[in-house]
Amino acid sequence: AYCAFAERQNLVNFQKAATPFTANLDSEVTKWAYNVAITRSREVNGERYLAPMVDMFNHGADTEVEISYDGNGECYAMASYDIPAGSPLRVSYGDPTDSTPLFATYGFLDESATGTFCKLMHMLKEMEEMGCVQVFLLYSQLFVSSMELI
């Protein structure tokens, strides 16, 4: 729920900031612009940076490329090791052990993640009957539910 709320709030803030530029545009175009900006930028210390070409790297839990920024906001991509020709170049889009933010922002689940936190809003009654806390449930790759791991 937090991810959905945060994404919604980011969209609303974007729409407010973009109003002088988008007043005559369809709301779907504004949503498209937001999605392009959010999925093609990186957050560093609470600030979002557009970094042309960095958005072309795929996500991976095991990365080949490290991204860094200097004091002027210049972006640098450095290979972590000698990478053979034809190999993928991947950076991390987020914590691979918690796929929920990846799904909320980029629309995919990390296949290497062992579990995914989610809510089944249409099954609240059934979850309560099972004694499950509906705030967090962990689903393994086998889609077996269990209580939140502490």
Short mmCIF file of all heavy atoms in Angstrom, two decimals, residues 11 14 24 32 53 71 85 102 104 121-122 125 129 139 145 147:
data_model
loop_
_atom_site.label_atom_id
_atom_site.label_comp_id
_atom_site.label_asym_id
_atom_site.label_seq_id
_atom_site.Cartn_x
_atom_site.Cartn_y
_atom_site.Cartn_z
N LEU A 11 2.85 11.19 -8.67
CA LEU A 11 2.13 11.58 -9.88
C LEU A 11 1.39 12.90 -9.66
O LEU A 11 1.44 13.80 -10.50
CB LEU A 11 1.16 10.48 -10.31
CG LEU A 11 0.20 10.85 -11.46
CD1 LEU A 11 0.96 11.20 -12.73
CD2 LEU A 11 -0.79 9.73 -11.70
N PHE A 14 3.82 15.71 -9.64
CA PHE A 14 4.30 15.95 -11.01
C PHE A 14 3.24 16.74 -11.79
O PHE A 14 3.57 17.69 -12.49
CB PHE A 14 4.59 14.62 -11.69
CG PHE A 14 5.05 14.75 -13.12
CD1 PHE A 14 6.39 14.95 -13.40
CD2 PHE A 14 4.15 14.67 -14.16
CE1 PHE A 14 6.83 15.06 -14.72
CE2 PHE A 14 4.57 14.79 -15.48
CZ PHE A 14 5.92 14.99 -15.75
N ASN A 24 -3.00 22.37 -21.70
CA ASN A 24 -3.80 22.06 -22.88
C ASN A 24 -3.66 20.61 -23.34
O ASN A 24 -4.12 20.26 -24.42
CB ASN A 24 -3.42 23.00 -24.04
CG ASN A 24 -3.73 24.45 -23.71
OD1 ASN A 24 -4.72 24.74 -23.04
ND2 ASN A 24 -2.87 25.35 -24.15
N TRP A 32 1.71 9.76 -19.18
CA TRP A 32 2.78 9.19 -19.99
C TRP A 32 4.10 9.91 -19.69
O TRP A 32 5.14 9.28 -19.48
CB TRP A 32 2.45 9.27 -21.47
CG TRP A 32 3.59 8.89 -22.35
CD1 TRP A 32 3.96 7.65 -22.74
CD2 TRP A 32 4.54 9.80 -22.95
NE1 TRP A 32 5.08 7.71 -23.53
CE2 TRP A 32 5.46 9.01 -23.67
CE3 TRP A 32 4.69 11.18 -22.93
CZ2 TRP A 32 6.51 9.57 -24.38
CZ3 TRP A 32 5.74 11.74 -23.64
CH2 TRP A 32 6.64 10.92 -24.35
N MET A 53 21.21 7.49 -21.49
CA MET A 53 21.90 6.23 -21.73
C MET A 53 21.91 5.32 -20.49
O MET A 53 21.88 4.12 -20.64
CB MET A 53 23.33 6.41 -22.25
CG MET A 53 23.38 7.11 -23.60
SD MET A 53 22.37 6.32 -24.89
CE MET A 53 23.24 4.79 -25.13
N GLY A 71 30.03 15.95 -7.88
CA GLY A 71 29.42 17.09 -7.21
C GLY A 71 28.60 17.99 -8.12
O GLY A 71 27.75 18.74 -7.65
N ALA A 85 32.75 -9.26 -24.36
CA ALA A 85 31.90 -8.73 -25.42
C ALA A 85 30.64 -9.56 -25.52
O ALA A 85 30.67 -10.78 -25.40
CB ALA A 85 32.64 -8.74 -26.75
N LEU A 102 9.97 -2.36 -7.21
CA LEU A 102 10.29 -2.55 -8.63
C LEU A 102 9.01 -2.68 -9.44
O LEU A 102 8.88 -2.12 -10.52
CB LEU A 102 11.17 -3.79 -8.82
CG LEU A 102 12.58 -3.73 -8.27
CD1 LEU A 102 13.27 -5.08 -8.43
CD2 LEU A 102 13.37 -2.63 -8.93
N ALA A 104 5.97 -1.58 -8.54
CA ALA A 104 5.21 -0.34 -8.49
C ALA A 104 5.78 0.72 -9.44
O ALA A 104 5.03 1.47 -10.06
CB ALA A 104 5.19 0.21 -7.06
N MET A 121 -6.31 -7.75 -1.66
CA MET A 121 -7.42 -6.97 -1.12
C MET A 121 -8.76 -7.68 -1.26
O MET A 121 -9.65 -7.49 -0.45
CB MET A 121 -7.47 -5.59 -1.81
CG MET A 121 -6.21 -4.77 -1.60
SD MET A 121 -5.76 -4.56 0.14
CE MET A 121 -7.07 -3.50 0.69
N HIS A 122 -8.89 -8.50 -2.27
CA HIS A 122 -10.16 -9.20 -2.47
C HIS A 122 -10.30 -10.42 -1.56
O HIS A 122 -11.33 -11.07 -1.57
CB HIS A 122 -10.31 -9.60 -3.94
CG HIS A 122 -9.32 -10.65 -4.38
ND1 HIS A 122 -7.99 -10.37 -4.55
CD2 HIS A 122 -9.48 -11.96 -4.64
CE1 HIS A 122 -7.37 -11.47 -4.92
NE2 HIS A 122 -8.24 -12.46 -4.97
N LYS A 125 -11.17 -11.19 4.10
CA LYS A 125 -11.93 -12.04 5.02
C LYS A 125 -11.25 -13.40 5.16
O LYS A 125 -11.06 -13.90 6.28
CB LYS A 125 -13.36 -12.22 4.53
CG LYS A 125 -14.21 -13.02 5.48
CD LYS A 125 -15.64 -13.12 5.00
CE LYS A 125 -16.42 -13.97 6.01
NZ LYS A 125 -17.70 -14.36 5.52
N GLU A 129 -9.56 -15.11 8.53
CA GLU A 129 -9.97 -16.43 9.00
C GLU A 129 -8.77 -17.35 9.19
O GLU A 129 -8.77 -18.22 10.05
CB GLU A 129 -10.99 -17.06 8.04
CG GLU A 129 -12.34 -16.38 8.08
CD GLU A 129 -13.28 -16.85 6.97
OE1 GLU A 129 -12.88 -17.70 6.13
OE2 GLU A 129 -14.42 -16.36 6.94
N TYR A 139 4.94 -14.01 -0.19
CA TYR A 139 4.64 -15.08 -1.13
C TYR A 139 5.94 -15.56 -1.73
O TYR A 139 6.69 -14.78 -2.32
CB TYR A 139 3.68 -14.60 -2.22
CG TYR A 139 2.32 -14.36 -1.67
CD1 TYR A 139 2.01 -13.16 -1.05
CD2 TYR A 139 1.36 -15.36 -1.70
CE1 TYR A 139 0.77 -12.95 -0.49
CE2 TYR A 139 0.12 -15.16 -1.14
CZ TYR A 139 -0.17 -13.95 -0.54
OH TYR A 139 -1.40 -13.76 0.03
N SER A 145 1.78 -18.79 0.75
CA SER A 145 1.78 -17.63 1.62
C SER A 145 2.27 -18.00 3.00
O SER A 145 2.10 -19.12 3.45
CB SER A 145 0.39 -17.00 1.70
OG SER A 145 -0.45 -17.76 2.52
N MET A 147 3.29 -15.91 7.04
CA MET A 147 3.26 -14.66 7.78
C MET A 147 4.54 -13.87 7.50
O MET A 147 5.54 -14.44 7.08
CB MET A 147 3.12 -14.94 9.27
CG MET A 147 1.82 -15.63 9.65
SD MET A 147 0.34 -14.73 9.12
CE MET A 147 0.38 -13.38 10.26
#
